[in-house]
Amino acid sequence: MASYSTNEFRSGMKLMIDGDPCAIVENEVVKPGKGQAFNRIKIRNLKTGRVVERTYKSGESVEAADVMDTELQYLYNDGEQWHFMHPETFEQMAADKTAVGDAHLWLKEQDVCTVTLWNGNPLAVTPPNFVVLKVTDTDPGLKGDTSGGGGKPATLETGAVVQVPLFVAIGEDLKIDTRNGKYVSRAKD
Amino acid sequence: MSAPSDNPLWQASASFELIKLRADTLRAIRAFFDTKNVLEVDTPILSHASITDPFIESFQTRYLPLTKKIHTENFYLHTSPEFPMKRLLASGIGSIFQIAKVFRQGEIGHQHNPEFTLLEWYRLDWDHHQLMKEVEQLLSSLLLPYIDLAETHFLSYKHAFINTLGINPHTAQRKELLVCLNQVGLAGVLDENEDKDRYLELLFSHVIEPTLGIAENNKACLCFLYHYPASQASLARLGNDEGQIVAERFEVFINGMELGNGFHELNNAQEQRQRFVQDNKARKKLGYPQVLIDEYFLASVDALSDCAGVAIGIERLLMVMSQSEHIDKVLAFPFERA
């Protein structure tokens, strides 16, 4: 199994810690003027998203996690699993609820998502930063109000509920920033 | 190949303001020692021998004669100007200071750069308590125009451990230290059969140090920690504190960060040689390279008068003055841009 020495540690590196794949968020050398050096790292557990701290004696090695990101096209949800396809090899892959998490709110068929694989299996799904989704329900808009001041909730085709300006009406396509779940604008075309 | 202007690493990482702060600070330090009749000296960066401390690694290089034959002598880049400065002291020069670029392998991070600047000075006929007072005077005068300082703390290594962890570092046994590491979430970082000092260093660097140099009201203050375990004496002489043999060594901290290290200097060559030999044995056990012992230094040690010395990291000091989180902010060209 591949492993990394503490002197190779850097942000983003994927390690196996307590049997779970984790990513280094921050690496800091703790070295007293005279005395043993340590690497103190902040790591994100890629399964749970929790961030914890760990300390290693400098020079030690830690097992690498076989984690890689792939760009896959979202196909459909069969009620239990979300199905994706590699756009070139057409290889299909299914992700369960744990892997998809909150990303299901932004998954639109045909969109290309980042699917993080651990030992070849989906571990996490990251939607595109911006998605275009249709409004399926919202209160009637106020005619002529384009000020954007104030707002109201709108339900989108994926089931996500976002705050939108008062002028938005049912059937419109909206551009949403998936990183914060916020309305950006009406879709251009 | 991209044009040089496309590579942003050609530019300085420190702002002009902080480059100027360094110049101002060095000028203020020289003025401080001038008023106290402490002489500025200059000693070699390259040396035949080096420090044996197992956890400080020197850069090494080779001397190439004009014939350019490969076989040449090995030289070390100094990790502090301590040995040659003490040789000057032993020859009777009086109190001296130096501002020197020093080099340490592997030390890179938010608070470390492999090449950094030390202010080192020695006071003849002083002990470490007198020197701590002068360090306080100098650092306060340099820091006060930039940050507010609460009253200075003076604390023994023992009391720092008792206050924070409830254990006496001089008498605690391995088992007690392992239980303590477990309680603070540091179980398993070290093996169970390591030297006791490794456990103390881990507890110190992770639990105690982050609390030093921070006053009750969260204001920064200087904190002097003194009387380290005899096993961590390095080049300090041994003394007695409350019936315990301790190293007459101190370190100074601010905002949870170490700024410097000082000794009431050992002037017994036989004891100093034993420590160097001991260090090389420890290195062998750890699989680290052996270091050539500095015989010029050892030959001078018995002639060294009673004195105390200290080394302060200039970049750390500039970080505090400018409230910089990363050492790269106070270096024109840090390691990766050098």
Side-chain angles (χ1 to χ4, degrees):
Chain A
M1 193 66 208
S3 63
Y4 293 115
S5 162
T6 54
N7 57 37
E8 298 175 278
F9 281 5
R10 57 175 193 277
S11 297
M13 185 173 270
K14 312 290 195 303
L15 303 173
M16 286 302 295
I17 289 167
D18 296 340
D20 279 352
C22 298
I24 297 180
V25 179
E26 205 179 296
N27 170 40
E28 178 55 14
V29 174
V30 179
K31 170 74 176 77
K34 299 176 190 300
Q36 167 84 51
F38 298 96
N39 284 68
R40 186 165 49 198
I41 54 174
K42 270 194 190 140
I43 42 171
R44 176 178 292 109
N45 184 317
L46 294 173
K47 280 165 86 175
T48 64
R50 269 179 8 111
V51 174
V52 291
E53 276 197 3
R54 272 305 165 92
T55 296
Y56 293 93
K57 195 160 74 165
S58 292
E60 275 195 357
S61 289
V62 182
E63 192 188 331
D66 178 16
V67 171
M68 57 178 283
D69 289 338
T70 51
E71 301 296 310
L72 300 181
Q73 191 174 41
Y74 171 57
L75 297 179
Y76 64 97
N77 172 14
D78 65 11
E80 275 183 18
Q81 294 198 303
W82 285 258
H83 295 263
F84 297 85
M85 181 181 71
H86 194 284
E88 277 145 34
T89 66
F90 307 113
E91 190 191 342
Q92 291 199 18
M93 199 167 271
D96 62 15
K97 202 173 170 177
T98 323
V100 174
D102 288 341
H104 75 88
L105 291 172
W106 315 115
L107 290 182
K108 188 179 174 185
E109 289 165 17
Q110 315 303 326
D111 276 357
V112 174
C113 306
T114 303
V115 179
T116 305
L117 303 178
W118 174 39
N119 296 331
N121 300 313
L123 177 70
V125 174
T126 312
N129 289 343
F130 298 100
V131 291
V132 173
L133 296 170
K134 199 176 286 296
V135 178
T136 54
D137 190 33
T138 191
D139 288 340
L142 292 173
K143 215 173 168 132
D145 181 0
T146 53
S147 67
K152 60 179 181 177
T155 307
L156 308 177
E157 58 184 307
T158 55
V161 178
V162 294
Q163 279 297 116
V164 299
L166 296 173
F167 56 77
V168 169
I170 294 174
E172 281 188 294
D173 286 327
L174 305 183
K175 186 177 176 186
I176 310 292
D177 186 336
T178 63
R179 292 162 297 186
N180 55 21
K182 284 193 170 146
Y183 164 91
V184 179
S185 65
R186 283 195 273 209
K188 292 283 177 310
D189 42 321
Chain B
M1 198 60 189
S2 60
S5 58
D6 288 344
N7 185 344
L9 294 187
W10 71 269
Q11 291 178 318
S13 78
S15 65
F16 291 164
E17 191 191 347
L18 295 193
I19 289 172
K20 186 172 176 294
L21 178 66
R22 173 186 292 261
D24 293 342
T25 303
L26 296 185
R27 197 178 312 114
I29 289 168
R30 290 194 163 98
F32 177 87
F33 287 114
D34 194 40
T35 61
K36 297 188 173 247
N37 285 319
V38 177
L39 179 71
E40 179 164 11
V41 296
D42 189 282
T43 58
I45 287 171
L46 276 180
S47 179
H48 287 88
S50 191
I51 187 168
T52 51
D53 191 316
F55 298 108
I56 298 181
E57 202 58 50
S58 307
F59 280 79
Q60 295 181 47
T61 186
R62 292 194 166 265
Y63 175 70
L64 190 64
L66 288 175
T67 57
K68 313 245 190 239
K69 280 186 183 162
I70 302 300
H71 175 72
T72 55
E73 237 176 317
N74 184 57
F75 275 80
Y76 297 90
L77 272 64
H78 69 173
T79 63
S80 115
E82 178 152 11
F83 296 170
M85 285 183 84
K86 284 184 180 170
R87 284 161 63 190
L88 288 175
L89 285 156
S91 62
I93 198 168
S95 296
I96 50 175
F97 82 97
Q98 179 165 195
I99 297 168
K101 278 297 186 75
V102 299
F103 305 84
R104 296 184 186 184
Q105 294 275 23
E107 301 190 10
I108 193 158
H110 288 73
Q111 301 177 354
H112 295 92
N113 194 64
E115 173 180 345
F116 64 103
T117 316
L118 274 186
L119 161 64
E120 187 150 327
W121 79 95
Y122 292 85
R123 282 300 211 157
L124 211 59
D125 301 321
W126 283 20
D127 69 8
H128 52 302
H129 293 291
Q130 290 166 288
L131 185 57
M132 278 192 269
K133 282 295 190 189
E134 187 170 66
V135 174
E136 182 194 17
Q137 191 194 351
L138 172 64
L139 294 184
S140 304
S141 72
L142 294 172
L143 289 169
L144 275 173
Y146 301 93
I147 64 164
D148 212 3
L149 284 178
E151 201 184 334
T152 302
H153 293 165
F154 291 90
L155 185 68
S156 73
Y157 185 88
K158 173 178 142 184
H159 282 103
F161 269 78
I162 290 174
N163 295 351
T164 312
L165 295 164
I167 57 171
N168 181 335
H170 301 299
T171 59
Q173 298 299 303
R174 178 182 308 274
K175 204 175 162 193
E176 193 180 348
L177 294 172
L178 285 169
V179 168
C180 187
L181 282 166
N182 195 23
Q183 284 168 348
V184 297
L186 291 168
V189 176
L190 293 167
D191 297 335
E192 297 205 346
N193 57 357
E194 299 211 39
D195 201 284
K196 211 182 106 176
D197 282 316
R198 299 294 87 72
Y199 303 126
L200 292 175
E201 283 160 10
L202 178 57
L203 287 169
F204 183 77
S205 60
H206 281 67
V207 187
I208 296 175
E209 186 175 354
T211 68
L212 301 177
I214 301 167
E216 291 74 19
N217 49 11
N218 254 354
K219 214 190 256 185
C221 69
L222 293 169
C223 173
F224 288 85
L225 204 72
Y226 56 90
H227 293 171
Y228 281 63
S231 52
Q232 296 177 25
S234 196
L235 293 105
R237 63 175 70 185
L238 299 182
N240 192 311
D241 185 356
E242 300 175 350
Q244 177 71 46
I245 303 287
V246 293
E248 293 191 338
R249 173 184 163 198
F250 68 90
E251 289 189 296
V252 55
F253 301 85
I254 188 167
N255 277 337
M257 178 169 72
E258 179 197 338
L259 283 183
N261 177 80
F263 302 132
H264 188 194
E265 304 292 348
L266 178 65
N267 55 1
N268 178 324
Q270 200 193 338
E271 191 177 339
Q272 188 64 73
R273 180 183 297 277
Q274 274 173 6
R275 291 189 196 171
F276 287 166
V277 170
Q278 218 39 55
D279 279 349
N280 263 335
K281 279 187 186 159
R283 284 178 158 267
K284 198 168 182 184
K285 220 172 131 189
L286 291 160
Y288 298 166
Q290 298 289 293
V291 177
L292 191 66
I293 288 175
D294 192 331
E295 293 296 341
Y296 292 141
F297 169 60
L298 281 178
S300 76
V301 170
D302 281 332
L304 190 63
S305 303
D306 194 14
C307 67
V310 63
I312 302 290
I314 293 295
E315 284 78 13
R316 299 267 181 96
L317 183 62
L318 295 171
M319 285 170 71
V320 178
M321 293 165 100
S322 61
Q323 289 160 50
S324 301
E325 289 290 319
H326 203 292
I327 196 167
D328 288 2
K329 296 275 181 221
V330 301
L331 290 161
F333 299 108
F335 196 55
E336 62 172 17
R337 299 184 187 211

